Amino acid sequence: MDWAGLIGQIALRRDREAYRRLFEFFAPRIKGYLMRTGSSEAEAEEIAQEAMIALWRKADRFDPATSGAVAWIFTIARNLRIDAVRRGRRAERMLQVVEAEYLPEPVESTESAFSRSQEAGHVEFALQRLPAQQSEVIRLSYLEERPHSEIAELLGIPLGTVKSRVRLAMSRLRELLDVLK
């Protein structure tokens, strides 16, 4: 069968008979291909229909010198499937965002709140036991979430010194917190 010739007839004369022959042959094959690649039957049917409509609309863009008719038709179907998957993912993400807005805030148990409060007290106690220079870089880095380069500029010390103080302070904090446990 001269598929390229039929596409050419659609492009030149909007030949309905040529389109009918292409549709009857390719629509079920596209649907089968889409189902084999993970689409549901309904989704495959819809995308196959869209692909055949695109064939009708874009027939004048088909160039038999650059690709075969079968490859061109299945590329249209494949691209439509990719678009459908992307739309589905986008819709799913939007639904999750909307649903998240209506979820109640998790209620923290009294035991968890007490435990968290106790841990915060231990950390504060340990921070007070650090040398002032180390305590300062830890507070700026972890509590105020400032980058090390900003801390170096703020304190007027080299970046390497900030990193060394953070490393030493974290080591000392681990030791202090292990003793408190």
Side-chain angles (χ1 to χ4, degrees):
M1 181 62 64
D2 179 19
W3 304 122
L6 292 175
I7 294 171
Q9 290 174 19
I10 294 169
L12 291 174
R13 299 190 315 266
R14 290 297 192 209
D15 187 327
R16 291 178 183 259
E17 178 58 26
Y19 180 74
R20 183 192 62 75
R21 291 172 70 191
L22 285 164
F23 189 95
E24 285 178 356
F25 184 81
F26 283 102
R29 284 164 178 78
I30 291 170
K31 180 180 174 183
Y33 159 74
L34 293 168
M35 288 174 62
R36 284 189 305 278
T37 59
S39 295
S40 67
E41 184 175 358
E43 184 180 41
E45 179 74 33
E46 185 176 331
I47 294 170
Q49 295 285 331
E50 288 178 30
M52 297 310 295
I53 291 169
L55 181 148
W56 176 264
R57 290 181 181 154
K58 298 178 181 183
D60 60 329
R61 297 184 200 162
F62 172 66
D63 181 4
T66 59
S67 71
V70 175
W72 184 72
I73 292 168
F74 275 88
T75 298
I76 291 171
R78 183 181 129 282
N79 290 342
L80 287 170
R81 181 172 189 276
I82 290 168
D83 291 345
V85 168
R86 287 180 181 152
R87 277 192 307 272
R89 286 183 186 154
R90 224 180 350 255
E92 188 176 315
R93 280 193 305 270
M94 289 179 66
L95 182 61
Q96 288 172 349
V97 168
V98 170
E99 286 176 346
E101 290 179 18
Y102 293 99
L103 288 176
E105 292 293 322
V107 178
E108 186 175 31
S109 71
T110 307
E111 185 178 299
S112 295
F114 177 75
S115 177
R116 193 171 41 79
S117 173
Q118 194 173 26
E119 287 174 7
H122 288 324
V123 170
E124 185 59 38
F125 179 80
L127 277 171
Q128 291 172 1
R129 300 297 174 269
L130 290 177
Q133 295 172 334
Q134 290 178 5
S135 177
E136 185 175 33
V137 293
I138 292 298
R139 288 179 194 281
L140 290 170
S141 181
Y142 290 97
L143 301 179
E144 293 184 23
E145 298 180 348
R146 294 181 186 230
H148 290 174
S149 57
E150 186 180 318
I151 295 169
E153 187 177 312
L154 184 69
L155 299 178
I157 58 176
L159 179 60
T161 303
V162 171
K163 292 182 179 197
S164 294
R165 287 182 186 172
V166 168
R167 185 177 44 78
L168 292 169
M170 291 303 290
S171 176
R172 182 70 178 128
L173 277 174
R174 264 188 231 101
E175 291 171 8
L176 290 168
L177 291 171
D178 283 345
V179 168
L180 292 173
K181 285 185 182 178

